[in-house]
């Protein structure tokens, strides 16, 4: 190999290594696909292709991998994910009961079915019917550290 061929080979090897290391820190399978494309460019360079053809091979391979392999890989990895909602998302729709009665001037507290007690306010603008102690409620949303609840009509009757 002459001088420029070695330089091209070293550049491709360096690119593969750099992109591989970046993938280790991002873990989103983009940089590993680019590294595989660079590996294709390296193989093309080792087979004697000019730099522009090596770059074309690298770009085409990386694009092909990004469009075809990465989505399937992500889908396969997410297949075993836990389908249950967690954190704040897991509280929406959860039932509970009024633990500290609501008043017109202050919010109350609710004890949720998971055992947690949250400060709460009623959903919507109307406060014509304030829930008493023990009234069943359902969480509609979480706003900061306050549960926004509505009276559970099916259990209240």
């Amino acid at each position: 190999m002459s001088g420029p061929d070695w330089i091209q080979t070293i550049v491709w090897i360096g690119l593969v290594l750099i992109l591989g290391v970046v993938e280790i820190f991002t873990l989103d399978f983009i940089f590993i696909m680019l590294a595989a494309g660079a590996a294709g460019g390296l193989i093309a360079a080792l087979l004697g292709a000019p730099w522009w053809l090596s770059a074309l091979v690298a770009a085409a391979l990386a694009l092909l991998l990004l469009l075809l392999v990465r989505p399937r890989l992500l889908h396969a990895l997410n297949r075993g994910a836990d389908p249950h909602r967690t954190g704040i998302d897991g509280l929406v729709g959860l039932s509970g009961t009024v633990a500290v009665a609501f008043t017109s001037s202050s919010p109350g507290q609710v004890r949720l079915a998971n055992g947690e007690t949250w400060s709460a306010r009623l959903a919507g603008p109307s406060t014509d019917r304030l829930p008493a102690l023990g009234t069943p409620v359902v969480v509609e949303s979480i706003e900061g550290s306050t549960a926004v609840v509505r009276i559970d009509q099916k259990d209240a009757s």
Side-chain angles (χ1 to χ4, degrees):
M1 261 188 197
S2 62
D5 293 334
W6 280 107
I7 292 173
Q8 183 180 354
T9 302
I10 290 170
V11 167
W12 284 117
I13 290 172
L15 201 54
V16 169
L17 292 174
I18 289 170
L19 291 169
V21 168
V22 170
E23 177 62 37
I24 290 171
F25 292 106
T26 61
L27 297 175
D28 60 1
F29 299 111
I30 291 176
F31 290 98
I32 197 69
M33 300 301 160
L34 296 176
L42 172 64
I43 292 170
L46 290 174
L47 293 174
W51 69 268
W52 60 268
L53 184 57
S54 296
L56 193 62
V57 167
L61 183 58
L63 186 62
L64 186 70
L65 291 171
L66 283 169
L67 295 177
L68 298 179
V69 176
R70 182 176 179 266
R72 292 177 189 212
L73 183 60
L74 290 174
H75 179 72
L77 289 174
N78 288 333
R79 187 177 309 164
D82 186 7
H84 296 93
R85 295 180 304 168
T86 59
I88 292 174
D89 293 333
L91 297 176
V92 175
L94 197 61
S95 62
T97 56
V98 174
V100 174
F102 291 71
T103 66
S104 57
S105 61
S106 68
Q109 288 186 350
V110 294
R111 185 173 319 272
L112 301 178
N114 65 1
E116 295 179 3
T117 301
W118 281 72
S119 62
R121 69 171 180 81
L122 288 174
S126 89
T127 57
D128 53 337
R129 186 175 154 216
L130 296 172
L133 198 61
T135 303
V137 294
V138 176
V139 177
E140 284 198 350
S141 65
I142 302 292
E143 293 178 0
S145 62
T146 303
V148 179
V149 298
R150 65 175 163 74
I151 298 173
D152 192 357
Q153 297 301 328
K154 66 177 180 169
D155 288 340
S157 47

